[in-house]
Amino acid sequence: MEKWIRRWYEVVVYIAGVYALILGLGHWSLQQTALLLGLIIIHLHFFEEFGLPGGFAWGGIKVEKGQVPVDVATWPLNQLSALWGNEWFAISVYLSPLFFPQWHWLVLAGVIFAFAELMMHWVIFNLGLHSWYNPGSLTALLLVVPASWYLWQVVPAGQFNWWDLIIAIGWIALNYWLAFRSPIFEWFNGHTQYTFSRADIEKSTPYLTKFKVNVAGFKNMR
């Protein structure tokens, strides 16, 4: 089990494939199609961040905290907590609206999150890492395509109101806290056997080089 958890970012590619199969074999509404496309792309997004090219962990901590601890076991993220946080967010924001299509605010949350991801990867992370690309940028751009297409179709019909917007933002905030800040996340992050490995950290080499950080200086890499 530990082996698979440490390579969760490869498993999500197959999960994306399952959603693609479901999309291809079914007859779906506009809303369902947009959500399924979002589920496919968000799982490819996880792979881009942690698998190929990977390196998001060091970069994300650097942008958020300013400094990355040399003791990898103390990082505010590991492979298990990353799995928990990302999959919880995918389920709560993209999968759950498929079962409650009448809750328009729930669908709107997925749309808003797509644009939030674009802002994070194309503006905040690039500014913080002094780069033009960071792991997740390409799929973040793709994620807004079905979201924009959906908005283009439904906004003129008056599908959403201000209450939908407020509740959707609150739903995103709640699930972000559950995914990446809650005691549940901290419990997962406390399992040091899932600390990032040297190979994981070496995926951040372009940024490590830029900030003059040597991988050999890190401690407790798995």
Side-chain angles (χ1 to χ4, degrees):
M1 179 62 72
E2 181 176 335
K3 173 186 175 182
W4 289 108
I5 290 176
R6 296 192 63 82
R7 303 180 72 86
W8 69 274
Y9 51 81
E10 296 177 353
V11 177
V12 295
V13 176
Y14 296 97
I15 297 176
V18 170
Y19 285 125
L21 189 63
I22 292 171
L23 177 62
L25 294 178
H27 297 283
W28 308 103
S29 67
L30 168 68
Q31 179 172 294
Q32 291 169 326
T33 299
L35 289 168
L36 284 168
L37 286 170
L39 279 164
I40 294 166
I41 298 169
I42 198 68
H43 282 86
L44 296 178
H45 181 68
F46 302 154
F47 179 70
E48 185 185 3
E49 287 184 324
F50 292 92
L52 183 68
F56 176 79
W58 186 91
I61 296 169
K62 173 66 177 175
V63 172
E64 182 178 348
K65 302 292 186 181
Q67 295 292 331
V68 182
V70 295
D71 186 352
V72 182
T74 67
W75 283 14
L77 193 68
N78 63 27
Q79 292 290 18
L80 182 59
S81 59
L83 167 59
W84 153 258
N86 283 295
E87 277 302 318
W88 175 264
F89 217 82
I91 290 168
S92 62
V93 176
Y94 281 100
L95 182 60
S96 61
L98 285 171
F99 301 97
F100 303 99
Q102 71 278 15
W103 295 355
H104 296 159
W105 58 267
L106 198 53
V107 182
L108 184 59
V111 172
I112 293 172
F113 179 69
F115 288 95
E117 278 285 88
L118 185 71
M119 176 65 67
M120 290 294 293
H121 280 277
W122 281 82
V123 179
I124 295 174
F125 286 126
N126 277 336
L127 287 175
L129 295 172
H130 307 164
S131 65
W132 294 101
Y133 169 84
N134 61 84
S137 296
L138 176 59
T139 43
L141 182 61
L142 294 177
L143 194 61
V144 301
V145 174
S148 300
W149 169 62
Y150 177 71
L151 285 178
W152 181 267
Q153 300 293 322
V154 302
V155 167
Q159 174 114 4
F160 304 116
N161 57 46
W162 285 106
W163 276 114
D164 290 325
L165 178 61
I166 294 169
I167 298 172
I169 293 173
W171 180 249
I172 292 172
L174 170 64
N175 283 286
Y176 182 83
W177 178 81
L178 286 170
F180 296 108
R181 293 292 184 272
S182 69
I184 302 172
F185 170 83
E186 295 295 340
W187 184 80
F188 284 120
N189 204 58
H191 289 67
T192 55
Q193 67 268 37
Y194 298 108
T195 294
F196 290 104
S197 68
R198 183 186 183 101
D200 295 326
I201 298 170
E202 284 178 342
K203 293 175 181 177
S204 301
T205 295
Y207 313 107
L208 296 173
T209 302
K210 185 175 298 183
F211 288 95
K212 297 180 173 57
V213 176
N214 191 332
V215 175
F218 291 113
K219 300 187 300 183
N220 294 320
M221 294 179 286
R222 297 294 294 183

